[in-house]
Amino acid sequence: MTTTDGATDTDGMESLDPADWSDLRVLGHRMIDDMFDHLQTLRDGPVWQKMPDPLRQELRQALPRQPQAPEAVYETFQRLVQPYSTGNLHPRFMGWVHGGGNPIGMLAELLAGGLNANLGGRDHAPIEVERQVIAWAAEMLGFPSDSSGVLVTGTSIANLIGVLVARSAKLGPSVRSDGVDGTRLVAYTSAAAHGCMPRAMEMAGLGRDALRMIPCDAEGRMRLDLLAQHLEADRAAGAQPFLVIGTAGTVNTGAIDDLRAIAGFAARHGLWFHVDGAFGAVAALSPKLRPLLAGIEQADSVAFDFHKWAQVPYDAGCIVVRDPARQLETFGAEAAYLKREDRGLAAGGVWPCDLGPDLSRGFRALKVWMTLSVYGADRIGAIAEQTCDLAATLAARVDREPSLERLAPVALNIVCFRYIAAQGDLDRLNADITADLHESGIAAPSTTIIGGVLAIRAAIVNHRTNHTDITVMVNAVLEAGRKRGA
Ligand SMILES: *Cc1c(COP(=O)(O)O)cnc(C)c1O
């Protein structure tokens, strides 16, 4: 191809684009076909298999100075990487809280990679897509339509942003220049909160000890009477309470705090009300589950993930803040070279880099936008509901089996239970059973500690999981338990 001034495409210079695109095009089509085959046949393969040591060795190479054929590098990916991935695509992956992804989201990742847009700022359509996604998130949560927000890697960072916005709402934006020296800010959350919450307090310079972990009731919800007592004591001791964090779906058991009561408490005491809804917030898309979240619409900020229950491929976390001015004053950039113009590419008002710590950012929004557009939010809500129904089925089965014991109430999609044997160390036994399941490739629940004992924890998140998968997993636990417990 020749440009108008007569120069050829490369003009004798080096470029990474091929001179002839046809081979790469063929390879690209093959990759897509192969990945569709992989998705179509997932169920037949193991959930997970350990990467063999010789293959780990083979992957370790010095910086490749010389080019290699893309076909050869792809072959290495197929042989060394693809078979030994996390396993969360598989319908019997039930560990932690991992989303299953979806094929439209996968294709969106390809398109986003092709555009290679930088969503830090400037005036372009990809940023409009992200603004649309944030508006949808606000709508999902029942937030005002002018709420602000930004996509980030995950809820850990979204929670950190929530803490930072709450911090500057309390101390004023001057905290950005003055720091927190000498102030004694304290925050409150439940003892069942995710470990990223104390980490957010660390990173915000407030210290993890300034986060009061309030004990929970039997349902795993923060005890509001104890919350009030802690607040009184802190005030009496001269500390400055500034933030209360409710959890919508605790990571251990899926419990949902009484968000409406916490909203009232926060309003009475002048506290910022943040909700960690990492997976649970997506329950708002199901008419049946939505009432469980009542009060979330009164929060000042909500952090959640599209990459868990909303089935968007990793990574896609989200923070939404009710008052856009608060988020902007926490992060708004000053640097001269980022100066906003009123026309041209450097125009476009508030940029995503004004709303969080990242400057350069990828086009995460596209896979969220395409996933929600193609399947529809109702269908995502129906999937969430379906996983809760599967969890209820699993809980009922556990309750029927004499050698299984359920260890926590089932609020949403998580079931904690253990295998019971007449003698021996039950914690050890259940940890071994879980590892046996992983290594067999049959199923992958995880473990947690409930009330001081080790539980097998099945979080049903994946849209591909069905009743047979639940039966297969329970049967595998029983069999492993019998073998080991005998
Ligand atoms: C998963 C989870 C987090 C952390 O989210 P990431 O996306 O992994 O950073 C925080 N809180 C809860 C309740 C979670 O389930």
Side-chain angles (χ1 to χ4, degrees):
M1 205 215 291
T2 311
T3 59
T4 45
D5 60 0
T8 60
D9 258 2
T10 57
D11 202 15
M13 308 296 282
E14 284 276 5
S15 157
L16 300 181
D17 289 336
D20 175 354
W21 286 81
S22 46
D23 287 352
L24 193 55
R25 188 181 291 258
V26 168
L27 178 63
H29 287 219
R30 210 179 96 209
M31 286 174 172
I32 291 187
D33 280 337
D34 290 348
M35 197 47 85
F36 278 134
D37 286 345
H38 181 63
L39 294 179
Q40 243 182 306
T41 56
L42 275 177
R43 189 174 278 287
D44 308 332
V47 177
W48 171 82
Q49 48 188 342
K50 186 173 151 73
M51 186 180 188
D53 287 335
L55 298 189
R56 287 179 208 252
Q57 288 302 333
E58 195 182 334
L59 197 60
R60 283 186 205 126
Q61 301 283 338
L63 178 67
R65 297 275 173 186
Q66 298 305 318
Q68 300 166 63
E71 292 79 5
V73 177
Y74 177 52
E75 188 273 333
T76 305
F77 164 82
Q78 284 187 303
R79 208 165 42 79
L80 300 190
V81 182
Q82 183 176 316
Y84 309 106
S85 190
T86 335
N88 53 314
L89 288 172
H90 197 286
R92 287 192 301 279
F93 185 100
M94 301 171 190
W96 305 275
V97 185
H98 278 29
N102 76 81
I104 290 295
M106 172 187 91
L107 294 173
E109 284 279 71
L110 177 71
L111 302 180
L115 284 186
N116 189 34
N118 182 339
L119 277 82
R122 289 153 289 278
D123 193 14
H124 54 97
I127 287 198
E128 289 302 329
V129 173
E130 179 156 344
R131 290 186 180 126
Q132 177 63 80
V133 165
I134 296 300
W136 287 343
E139 188 176 336
M140 173 185 101
L141 297 168
F143 266 42
S145 59
D146 69 341
S147 303
S148 72
V150 74
L151 296 181
V152 289
T153 44
T155 293
S156 302
I157 294 300
N159 278 332
L160 170 61
I161 292 176
V163 170
L164 292 172
V165 177
R167 190 189 72 169
S168 70
K170 177 72 178 179
L171 298 179
S174 62
V175 66
R176 294 176 65 179
S177 46
D178 301 349
V180 295
D181 197 26
T183 58
R184 288 182 56 207
L185 297 189
V186 292
Y188 306 87
T189 193
S190 97
H194 193 271
C196 68
M197 247 17 284
R199 278 168 53 85
M201 293 289 287
E202 291 172 15
M203 290 187 282
L206 303 172
R208 61 189 306 138
D209 290 351
L211 181 65
R212 312 290 190 234
M213 311 292 287
I214 311 296
C216 298
D217 64 17
E219 304 292 314
R221 294 173 306 203
M222 176 157 59
R223 279 190 47 190
L224 298 177
D225 54 333
L226 297 180
L227 172 63
Q229 283 176 22
H230 272 84
L231 181 98
E232 293 287 306
D234 283 326
R235 286 227 159 113
Q240 288 188 65
F242 78 112
L243 164 68
V244 58
I245 300 141
T247 309
T250 60
V251 65
N252 258 354
T253 69
I256 301 170
D257 282 337
D258 184 343
L259 301 177
R260 195 178 270 153
I262 297 174
F265 181 87
R268 278 196 302 284
H269 296 283
L271 307 178
W272 186 273
F273 175 30
H274 174 79
V275 174
D276 175 356
F279 65 96
V282 172
L285 297 179
S286 149
K288 187 173 147 198
L289 301 176
R290 191 180 173 95
L292 300 173
L293 300 177
I296 198 170
E297 72 287 346
Q298 296 174 46
D300 293 299
S301 53
V302 177
F304 73 97
D305 282 321
F306 283 107
H307 61 217
K308 288 177 174 172
W309 233 4
Q311 315 293 336
V312 171
Y314 284 93
D315 47 28
C318 184
I319 174 81
V320 182
V321 180
R322 171 181 304 278
D323 181 349
R326 295 281 90 82
Q327 191 172 7
L328 183 59
E329 73 189 15
T330 307
F331 295 103
E334 305 277 343
Y337 73 98
L338 294 173
K339 192 165 116 23
R340 308 306 139 75
E341 305 292 348
D342 51 18
R343 61 196 193 89
L345 182 55
V350 172
W351 290 351
C353 67
D354 296 319
L355 301 174
D358 295 312
L359 178 53
S360 293
R361 318 166 55 247
F363 195 4
R364 270 187 200 107
L366 187 64
K367 62 194 171 190
V368 183
W369 183 77
M370 287 189 80
T371 297
L372 289 171
S373 299
V374 168
Y375 301 108
D378 289 353
R379 181 120 178 254
I380 301 296
I383 298 276
E385 225 175 281
Q386 169 177 301
T387 62
C388 291
D389 292 345
L390 288 167
T393 305
L394 169 56
R397 170 84 194 271
V398 166
D399 294 347
R400 277 198 312 274
E401 288 290 343
S403 50
L404 298 179
E405 175 190 19
R406 192 146 61 81
L407 293 171
V410 176
L412 290 170
N413 58 335
I414 299 175
V415 183
C416 294
F417 63 101
R418 65 174 175 170
Y419 185 87
I420 301 286
Q423 68 220 354
D425 177 349
L426 286 184
D427 286 0
R428 185 70 260 150
L429 174 62
N430 280 279
D432 283 337
I433 290 172
T434 306
D436 289 348
L437 259 57
H438 294 178
E439 287 177 349
S440 71
I442 295 173
S446 52
T447 61
T448 191
I449 304 293
I450 303 277
V453 307
L454 187 131
I456 300 175
R457 175 178 161 289
I460 323 296
V461 182
N462 194 319
H463 57 97
R464 303 180 179 96
T465 307
N466 63 28
H467 284 283
T468 308
D469 295 315
I470 300 294
T471 304
V472 169
M473 189 272 291
V474 176
N475 290 348
V477 169
L478 290 173
E479 196 191 319
R482 267 193 298 270
K483 273 192 193 149
R484 288 193 168 269

